[in-house]
């Protein structure tokens, strides 16, 4: 799919308006120094045992039999996979911590999925590819540099703790980018666009940081 436009745009909501105000006010920012070499919890975060559910008020119910992943844009070999074709690709299990911009963190999550580096070997990004845009089934988008997308710990995940991802957590397939705040880990993943320029996504144009490094407290744009 070569169209740059989303099939839908998430509607404005109380949550959207509230989080835009957070960005304007710099809520949750602590300014504390980060020591990732010795500390496990980034500045301003608190540890949780459960996995909080956050979305834009719409949780698409997508059956595996109907799910597709369209990988397109600045690649030599665009692909469209159904779930069976996706699951036939090389899968790995990875343990990682996750950090949400709303200040919760959860340790030792077991995700299973396709490494983005393996996807890149299949689709072969063109030399001009510098960024990736993740498109979700609810119309949500978020952007990553190609370097962050291809990080060794980044997965296109379909399972968590040995079970299929539930819909409320982005199933059947979502992105997992542990090194960045979790709004970058798009839920209900439907399209992956390789691009020759940066294209800020839903939260990035509403005051959130363009990258989102938890250790630098990159919650909001300056």
């Amino acid at each position: 799919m070569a169209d740059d436009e989303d099939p839908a745009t998430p509607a404005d909501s109380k949550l959207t308006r509230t989080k835009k105000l957070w960005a304007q006010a710099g809520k949750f920012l602590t300014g504390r120094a980060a020591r990732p070499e010795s500390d496990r919890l980034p500045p301003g975060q608190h540890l949780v045992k459960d996995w909080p559910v956050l979305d834009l008020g719409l949780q698409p119910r997508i059956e595996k039999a109907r799910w597709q992943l369209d990988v397109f844009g600045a690649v030599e070999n665009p692909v469209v996979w159904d779930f069976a074709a996706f699951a036939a690709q090389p899968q790995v299990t990875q343990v990682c911590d996750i950090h949400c911009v709303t200040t919760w963190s959860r340790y030792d999550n077991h995700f299973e999925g396709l490494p983005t580096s393996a996807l890149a070997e299949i689709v072969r990004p063109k030399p001009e590819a510098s960024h990736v845009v993740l498109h979700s089934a609810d119309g949500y988008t978020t952007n990553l540099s190609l370097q962050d997308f291809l990080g060794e710990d980044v997965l296109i995940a379909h399972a968590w703790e040995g079970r299929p991802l539930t819909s409320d957590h982005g199933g059947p397939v979502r992105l997992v980018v542990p090194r960045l705040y979790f709004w970058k880990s798009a839920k209900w993943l439907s399209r992956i666009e390789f691009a020759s320029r940066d294209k800020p996504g839903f939260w990035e144009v509403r005051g959130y940081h363009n990258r989102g490094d938890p250790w630098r407290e990159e919650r909001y744009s300056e």
Side-chain angles (χ1 to χ4, degrees), residues 9-139:
T9 300
D12 191 24
S13 66
K14 181 179 179 180
L15 173 66
T16 303
R17 294 190 293 271
T18 297
K19 294 184 79 171
K20 286 174 67 176
L21 290 174
W22 290 356
Q24 293 168 6
K27 188 173 183 179
F28 307 131
L29 290 174
T30 69
R32 294 207 309 265
R35 292 180 290 273
E37 70 282 354
S38 59
D39 296 338
R40 190 172 180 182
L41 197 65
Q45 297 294 109
H46 70 280
L47 194 61
V48 300
K49 297 291 187 181
D50 60 349
W51 185 1
V53 175
L54 297 174
D55 54 54
L56 298 178
L58 173 67
Q59 292 184 5
R61 300 290 173 176
I62 307 167
E63 300 295 330
K64 285 182 179 179
R66 296 177 53 242
W67 177 83
Q68 283 191 330
L69 180 63
D70 184 0
V71 186
F72 67 102
V75 294
E76 299 289 350
N77 182 36
V79 298
V80 178
W81 286 332
D82 61 13
F83 191 85
F86 165 71
Q89 307 306 315
Q91 306 288 315
V92 301
T93 298
Q94 180 169 281
V95 183
C96 64
D97 299 342
I98 55 179
H99 310 291
C100 180
V101 71
T102 59
T103 77
W104 62 261
S105 294
R106 190 181 192 280
Y107 291 163
D108 297 326
N109 299 272
H110 295 73
F111 287 102
E112 181 180 351
L114 171 68
T116 53
S117 57
L119 173 68
E121 291 179 4
I122 295 167
V123 300
R124 302 195 305 276
K126 294 181 179 179
E128 63 267 27
S130 60
H131 291 81
V132 175
V133 183
L134 294 312
H135 300 255
S136 300
D138 63 345

Side-chain angles (χ1 to χ4, degrees), residues 1-10 60 62 67-73 131-144 149 156 170 173-175 183-195 197 199-202:
M1 185 180 296
D3 187 2
D4 285 350
E5 298 298 321
D6 297 315
T9 300
I62 307 167
W67 177 83
Q68 283 191 330
L69 180 63
D70 184 0
V71 186
F72 67 102
H131 291 81
V132 175
V133 183
L134 294 312
H135 300 255
S136 300
D138 63 345
Y140 177 84
T141 61
T142 191
N143 57 316
L144 293 169
F149 179 75
I156 304 169
V173 176
R174 70 172 298 153
L175 194 69
W183 90 77
K184 292 290 188 177
S185 295
K187 300 166 75 169
W188 307 297
L189 190 60
S190 63
R191 297 191 292 157
I192 299 176
E193 175 188 358
F194 286 77
R197 59 182 177 86
K199 299 181 181 182
F202 182 86

Side-chain angles (χ1 to χ4, degrees), residues 130-218:
S130 60
H131 291 81
V132 175
V133 183
L134 294 312
H135 300 255
S136 300
D138 63 345
Y140 177 84
T141 61
T142 191
N143 57 316
L144 293 169
S145 69
L146 184 61
Q147 181 179 4
D148 279 330
F149 179 75
L150 296 181
E152 62 181 6
D153 55 353
V154 182
L155 290 183
I156 304 169
H158 62 83
W160 176 72
E161 301 303 329
R163 296 184 177 183
L165 276 171
T166 57
S167 180
D168 56 345
H169 287 304
V173 176
R174 70 172 298 153
L175 194 69
V176 175
V177 190
R179 69 183 62 194
L180 301 179
Y181 285 124
F182 222 46
W183 90 77
K184 292 290 188 177
S185 295
K187 300 166 75 169
W188 307 297
L189 190 60
S190 63
R191 297 191 292 157
I192 299 176
E193 175 188 358
F194 286 77
S196 59
R197 59 182 177 86
D198 195 12
K199 299 181 181 182
F202 182 86
W203 286 122
E204 291 80 14
V205 301
R206 289 168 172 80
Y208 278 65
H209 198 278
N210 201 48
R211 182 160 186 257
D213 184 339
W215 293 101
R216 297 181 178 181
E217 269 202 297
E218 292 176 343

